[in-house]
Each structure stands twice: as C-alpha cells, then as structure tokens.
Amino acid sequence: MKDNRIVITGMGVMSAIGNNAGECLDALRHGRTGIGPMRYLDSVHHEFPVGEVKLTCEHMATRLAALIPATGIDLGSYPRTSLMGAIAASEAMRSAKLSTTDKAALLSGTTVGGMDKSERYFADAHHNPEHSKYIATHSCGASTEAIAQCFPGQFHLATTISTACSSALNTIIVGAELLKSGRASVVVAGGSESLTRFHLNGFKSLMILDHEPCRPFDATRAGLNLGEGAAYLVLETESHALARGIEPLAVLSGTGNRCDAFHQTASSDNGEGAYQAMSRALATAGLEPADIDYVNAHGTGTPNNDASECEALKRVFGTSVPPFSSTKSFTGHTTSASGSIEAAFCVMALRHQFLPVNLNWHAPMDNGLKPVVDMEPSREIVNVQCNAFGFGGNDSSIIISKYQGHEQ
C-alpha cells in the first residue's frame, strides 16, 4: 500500500488578488490582476506599481480577532507579515478540518519579518518605551512565533526558513521531510511577506523594478513589481488524512532544492540551479518530463531571470516544453511568500482544470517560448511543477499531482 504519500489537505491564501483562497481562484479564472498604485505602504516611491493585500493592518487585526479564540494577544502590535500569515494559516487549518488536538508543526518562510513596525518606530524607541515593543517583532523568527501564538496548543514545533524568494517553497520541502521521518504527523507550511520601505528600496537599488505592470517572459519585460501576501498548505501522509476522514486536495509527489551559488542576485545564463532543482523534483516524483502538464514558473519579469529560467525549461523538457506561465503578473513578486502562494494556485489549477494565464504578454522572447495566454488546457492536468528561485542561487521546485484516490 502506498499510504506514505504526502498529500495536501488544506490551504489558505492572502494576496493582491484576494483575501482568501476563493477570491484568489475567482481572480485567476477571470484574469483579474491585483497590481496597481501603492495605497498602504508609507513610501515616497509611488512611481512603482505594487501588488498589495487590500486591507489595512487595522482591518487585518479585526478580521484575525474574529478567527482565533480569545487569547489576550495585542493584535494591534502585530506586524503586517504576522497578521497576513495568521489569517492564511487559519484558513488552511479550517479547510483541512484540523482540530486543536491535531498537533502540528508550523514552518513559515519570510525575509522581511516584522520590518514594517521597526521601520516606523525604531528611530524613537529609545525615547518612547511604548514603541520598544514593536522592535521585538522585527526578526523573521519573531513573526513566525507571533503566528503560532494565535493558535494556543496547536503547534508542537514552530520554525522559520529564510532563503529569500525560495523560502516558502522550502518550508513545503522541509515539511515533507518531517512527515517522512515521523517527526510530525501534520505540517502547516508556507510563508508570509509584507511590503516595506527597505524591501522596495532594496529592489530599486538593484534597478529591477518596472514602472509599468510586469510582463514576465515578454520581449519588452523591464523588471518586476513587488507584492505581498501569505499562503499555507496543510501537509500530512495519505494514511493520516484518510484516518481523519479527510479527502486530500492533491498529492505532493516530488521536491527538489539545489544551490548553484552562481551570483548574489543573478541567475546563470544556462539556468543551472533551476535545471538541477527541477530535475531533482522529477526524479523524486518518479516522473518523466513528458508527464508534466503545466509549470508555474518563477517568472519575475526581469530580463535575467526569465531568460535563465527559459534555458532551464529547455534543458529539462527539450523541444516539448509544457504550458508555463508566471502568476506574478497577478500578484506581483511576493518574494519569500511566493512559493507557497503559487503552490496554492497550482492546487487550484489541478482541482478546477485550468491554466493560469500569463497576463500582459504580447511579444515572444528570442528563444521562441510562449507562455500560457489561454486558460483552457489541451489535455487533462494531472501533474504541475512549481518553481521558486532565491538570491544566491537557492533554487527550489516541487511537483503537485491530482489526487485520484487511495492507491493500493
């Protein structure tokens, strides 16, 4: 019996296109982007479009308070990363029908952490002791602990992974290993990342922000749009899910992580790290390249990334590259949270049998590859591959497959 398969039993999402999974699905299926003028981030750089979650922190705190039991937590002091993360994690656990007796591990990916609070209050924290409490929320680990505190007794382990833009996808990979080793019976894995001035200014200094809505894989692409959001998947073994009476949403059939350490921020011309990560995911899934029906590409819209990723796609799939697209044209680049947000989109694509389109695409690159512009698939979608590549060459890829019943 193949009852040790890792399955996905729940998911929760917040992004620029929706404050829950249902809203995100509706936006994907209707080609509705969430990228637009900056509204919530306190920055002078309004020349850059962004993908913001359409709620103030105050509205998020009110929404979260209605979702969690009375804990006495001062949600007003929570950074935006933790608020989004706790709301998305709550949705994921509800959709998986987890009870408080189902002890889980929480794995969360972030890089910005609670920086939005420290940016605002650090300068006068020494003069105003009331503001010092916000500085304590600065670190990546503190933001994860804050999420865990919203669910007393739910998590026996809470840890943070911070590998830049592959962070959230790496939590899913590590979560699968925890399940296989028996160190956890349920894992809530994903990531959360808010926009901050440091975040925006840092990418501006790299000169890779586009003044227009991003155009991944387009010949005229000029850079990325930053975004924010959170998403978590509930992972468990198939036998554990069925014993709880839960029908899995999908199967996590393959995972791969490699680091080519090519450059601090750039990808290699031949996409070596991406190629190795994707190949490893295929190998662990026991699949051939021809078995992949859709690739949710990292697709940031920068000249370097998209060219490099296309080379990796051609190396893996040869002349038969499957349908691929970047959903960052919907959400913006949510950096550390992108892997789990896009993994959730892949689950939606599998369950509802559609191809997320690559918005704003008009002209092919020199390599001749064309991303998805028609959401109707030409064949049944059974296996999808999801990529997330981080600075320093920390590249990850997973394969999510359609759940087609318990395998004997």
Side-chain angles (χ1 to χ4, degrees), residues 181-199:
S181 68
R183 295 186 64 185
S185 57
V186 179
V187 173
V188 179
S192 183
E193 194 93 295
S194 69
L195 284 170
T196 65
R197 292 195 300 272
F198 180 87
H199 205 186

Side-chain angles (χ1 to χ4, degrees), residues 299-366:
T300 61
T302 64
N304 171 252
N305 175 87
D306 293 6
S308 177
E309 188 167 10
C310 281
E311 288 305 307
L313 288 169
K314 291 195 293 183
R315 290 178 66 186
V316 172
F317 297 104
T319 58
S320 301
V321 175
F324 70 97
S325 68
S326 171
T327 48
K328 290 178 176 66
S329 52
F330 284 88
T331 64
H333 188 359
T334 56
T335 55
S336 292
S338 63
S340 57
I341 290 174
E342 291 160 21
F345 293 169
C346 287
V347 175
M348 295 175 190
L350 278 168
R351 291 184 60 79
H352 298 277
Q353 291 293 298
F354 74 100
L355 298 172
V357 299
N358 199 105
L359 297 178
N360 308 322
W361 184 89
H362 298 290
M365 297 165 54
D366 291 341

